[in-house]
Amino acid sequence: MPHIFAQDLPKTEANFAPLTPLSFIERSALVYPNKLAVVHGELRQTWSQTYARCRQLASALQQRGLGVGDTVAVMLPNTPPMVEAHFGVPMSGAVLNTLNTRLDAEALAFMLDHGEAKAVIVDPEFAKVMAKALSLRQSGRELLVIDAEDALFTGDAPRIGALTYEQLLAEGSPDFEWVMPADEWDAISLNYTSGTTGNPKGVVYHHRGAAANAISNILEWDMPKHATYLWTLPMFHCNGWCFPWTVAARAGVNVCLRRVDPKAIFDAIRTHGVTHYCGAPIVHAAMVAAPDEIKQNISQQVKAMVAGAAPPAAMIEGMEKLGIDLTHVYGLTEIYGPAAVCVKHDEWDELDVGERARLNARQGVNYHLQRSVTVMDPLTMQSVPMDGETMGEIMFRGNITMKGYLKNPKATQEAFAGGWFHTGDLAVIYPDGYVKIKDRSKDIIISGGENISSIEVEDVLYRHPAVMAAAVVAKPDDKWGETPCAFIELKAGAEVTAADIVAHCKLHLAGFKVPKAVVFCELPKTSTGKIQKFELRKVAGSAKPIGA
């Protein structure tokens, strides 16, 4: 017999609206119209001004025939047009495709074709590479090119667009009645993975997931109203981990940064009173290693998020000395950037920095609005014991998970096999429910039948005071099959030998886990600071063994 709540209560516009992060800017412009929203060089823009410009962008795109189901690509650094695109493009009903500004023309041409872009907004710094990409397109589809001029760009650049960004906005109305998604499951953005082999996959985000992750960012950080957020993280990367929408929800300040370097970061923190920023480990390591004279006179509490490699003890200690509170998050493109966080506990403050580093190195637990993260056997789809030892694959499920891969049903089906998103990261889960990565499945080194976690070896390398960045990959070996090969980027002015590195590792690792070859070099990195291990694997075979 049906229960009393099973009766047909109506779902109407009065009691249901699709979740979308676009509503955040509408509210901030209404409640805090004169609060500062965007800082860029001499530019100061309020929330009411920013909202009006986003509506103009949406209106202009619609007048030019772009709307629901169309793709608008952008090739922009962290500048005001990039902030505005995160609202204006989906407000027109179109889907935003933020292109990686570090890619070559061939990769960009593939993305423009695969994503079926009908318009692209281009910063002058990337005009030349985009002009080449446009010439390499295979589709022949008509594409509107818009030049986004920037007073802070001082180089030479060709005009490749039919009009400028400001000319486009002038065509639109600041009072435009923008398009709410018909369904919160509708696509809001398209992000391409930084694939190491073959073509990258197009990851499709939905409005519900974008809103859920943006709100979770607030909750994980206890982010207050009017926080000042510094754009050190590229907005093209997972839509800046959804922080364009997060900052709007808090009516905060977007401090734009065309290029990331330690001096620019510390200058911005002092000048604008920055309270929050995000970045890859290499960004934080560079800040810790920066000269003392550029790190002075920061009086406010600054909160930072780090994702990628776990923060080593030296980084945590260095950040604390700077007055920066570091939060370790974990995620992938397919889960909107971070969707897990290593939640810190008050009692950890009493521990020494080494023990805190061990605890903070874990990937942690699910974001507030992500349903679940766990570790499972990918074959049986059974959870592994919560013993901190049994390895399985990290799996996610919930709203902060992509719709799927564009035009790739096979890869989508594989990614969601068994009703969970498969990350490809091998991990353990502890009795307290915290997850810790042991390695990517492809990064495990099998030496003489023993599994060696490259991450475990890297954690030890990062403890050496001379090491700025480290990566460990497999080196083919006639006797053992594979042995660890360490690639190390040293801090400025540091002097250390391969023998010193090996001696350091022997203090902390079993003999078979100690690197058999050490290479000192600048590590190849993606535009988001992630070390490109696939490049290192290409040269590991020719690395000379220590003592050879």
Side-chain angles (χ1 to χ4, degrees):
M1 188 174 194
H3 58 75
I4 61 170
F5 298 105
Q7 61 183 294
D8 187 22
L9 297 173
K11 179 181 175 183
T12 73
E13 288 186 4
N15 61 10
F16 178 84
L19 283 174
T20 174
L22 303 182
S23 62
F24 300 159
I25 191 173
E26 180 181 47
R27 182 181 188 275
S28 286
L30 173 67
V31 181
Y32 304 108
N34 299 318
K35 280 289 187 181
L36 188 61
V38 178
V39 171
H40 185 56
E42 298 299 315
L43 175 71
R44 301 292 183 272
Q45 194 168 285
T46 66
W47 277 109
S48 62
Q49 291 169 330
T50 303
Y51 183 44
R53 287 172 62 83
C54 293
R55 294 167 80 180
Q56 284 181 275
L57 175 57
S59 172
L61 289 172
Q62 275 209 357
Q63 288 187 54
R64 285 184 169 260
L66 287 93
V68 176
D70 294 327
T71 303
V72 175
V74 296
M75 184 73 166
L76 300 169
N78 289 345
T79 54
M82 185 62 130
V83 176
E84 293 164 3
H86 276 82
F87 297 92
V89 171
M91 280 176 170
S92 74
V95 175
L96 175 65
N97 175 207
T98 54
L99 298 170
N100 185 328
T101 60
R102 298 285 289 275
L103 292 178
D104 58 29
E106 288 74 15
L108 293 169
F110 167 80
M111 292 173 183
L112 291 172
D113 280 340
H114 185 264
E116 300 184 21
K118 291 190 175 180
V120 60
I121 303 170
V122 185
D123 184 88
E125 184 175 350
F126 313 113
K128 290 179 181 177
V129 68
M130 184 54 70
K132 184 177 179 183
L134 293 171
S135 72
L136 295 174
R137 292 169 61 232
Q138 302 294 312
S139 68
R141 185 182 300 104
E142 185 177 350
L143 182 63
L144 174 65
V145 181
I146 301 120
D147 291 317
E149 297 170 316
D150 183 5
L152 297 192
F153 176 71
T154 56
D156 295 324
R159 285 286 299 271
I160 63 171
L163 74 169
T164 69
Y165 181 73
E166 294 301 327
Q167 288 170 339
L168 178 69
L169 260 60
E171 297 177 358
S173 168
D175 300 318
F176 175 66
E177 292 294 328
W178 53 272
V179 181
M180 275 286 287
D183 188 330
E184 58 192 20
W185 182 245
D186 288 351
I188 188 171
S189 63
L190 170 65
N191 290 280
Y192 282 90
T193 61
S194 52
T196 57
T197 56
N199 288 321
K201 295 191 285 289
V203 176
V204 182
Y205 290 176
H206 46 78
H207 284 256
R208 182 180 178 86
N213 205 36
I215 294 167
S216 287
N217 285 334
I218 297 169
L219 296 172
E220 305 309 339
W221 245 348
D222 294 323
M223 195 177 194
K225 289 193 289 283
H226 317 310
T228 301
Y229 183 86
L230 178 62
W231 276 108
T232 45
L233 179 78
M235 268 184 262
F236 67 68
H237 181 52
C238 307
N239 296 112
W241 298 355
C242 296
F243 271 96
W245 302 310
T246 293
V247 176
R250 295 276 74 191
V253 183
N254 293 276
V255 179
C256 295
L257 203 59
R258 278 195 71 95
R259 185 167 286 102
V260 172
D261 69 77
K263 185 177 185 305
I265 292 171
F266 285 112
D267 285 348
I269 290 174
R270 277 188 296 269
T271 303
H272 305 296
V274 168
T275 57
H276 297 76
Y277 75 92
C278 300
I282 193 67
V283 173
H284 301 287
M287 291 173 65
V288 171
D292 288 340
E293 58 267 23
I294 72 171
K295 298 190 287 193
Q296 304 302 314
N297 303 319
I298 296 173
S299 56
Q300 76 273 25
Q301 171 69 68
V302 180
K303 291 191 175 186
M305 278 190 184
V306 60
M315 182 186 294
I316 293 172
E317 197 167 29
M319 287 280 121
E320 288 176 353
K321 288 178 180 177
L322 292 172
I324 296 174
D325 180 38
L326 202 59
T327 298
H328 180 205
V329 293
Y330 162 72
L332 297 86
T333 304
E334 289 87 342
I335 48 176
Y336 297 68
V341 56
C342 187
V343 179
K344 292 185 283 189
H345 294 269
D346 292 342
E347 54 267 30
W348 294 4
D349 294 340
E350 307 303 318
L351 304 172
D352 66 69
V353 70
E355 181 62 10
R356 279 188 285 123
R358 185 188 70 79
L359 293 169
N360 279 313
R362 299 182 296 175
Q363 279 58 45
V365 295
N366 55 292
Y367 254 29
H368 276 77
L369 300 183
Q370 179 69 306
R371 177 66 187 90
S372 185
V373 59
T374 192
V375 180
M376 306 176 82
D377 183 316
L379 298 179
T380 65
M381 292 302 292
Q382 297 297 308
S383 296
V384 303
M386 296 171 65
D387 57 12
E389 294 182 3
T390 307
M391 278 216 290
E393 184 179 356
I394 298 182
M395 309 259 185
F396 282 88
R397 64 168 25 160
N399 291 308
I400 310 177
T401 308
M402 66 174 179
K403 284 171 71 84
Y405 296 116
L406 184 67
K407 302 178 184 176
N408 198 336
K410 180 175 182 292
T412 300
Q413 186 176 10
E414 290 172 353
F416 292 146
W420 290 80
F421 169 65
H422 297 237
T423 66
D425 283 329
L426 302 181
V428 297
I429 186 166
Y430 287 86
D432 60 3
Y434 279 50
V435 166
K436 179 174 173 55
I437 289 179
K438 289 299 184 179
D439 229 324
R440 292 288 293 175
S441 54
K442 63 187 176 185
D443 289 343
I444 287 286
I445 301 164
I446 305 175
S447 185
E450 297 279 1
N451 286 357
I452 302 171
S453 163
S454 66
I455 290 177
E456 180 184 3
V457 183
E458 289 161 6
D459 282 345
V460 170
L461 291 170
Y462 273 109
R463 292 184 214 167
H464 194 287
V467 173
M468 167 75 82
V472 174
V473 299
K475 173 180 168 62
D477 185 271
D478 292 338
K479 180 178 180 181
W480 302 107
E482 296 176 339
T483 57
C485 178
F487 291 84
I488 294 173
E489 187 172 324
L490 295 175
K491 293 178 181 176
E495 294 185 11
V496 68
T497 66
D500 294 333
I501 294 296
V502 168
H504 168 76
C505 289
K506 285 181 176 178
L507 295 174
H508 305 281
L509 293 169
F512 73 94
K513 297 180 180 180
V514 173
K516 302 301 184 286
V518 177
V519 180
F520 297 104
C521 62
E522 182 177 348
L523 299 181
K525 305 174 190 74
T526 68
S527 53
T528 57
K530 191 174 181 180
I531 295 169
Q532 295 176 310
K533 284 193 172 183
F534 70 96
E535 294 286 359
L536 300 177
R537 291 189 192 98
K538 294 176 184 177
V539 298
S542 58
K544 289 185 179 180
I546 295 166

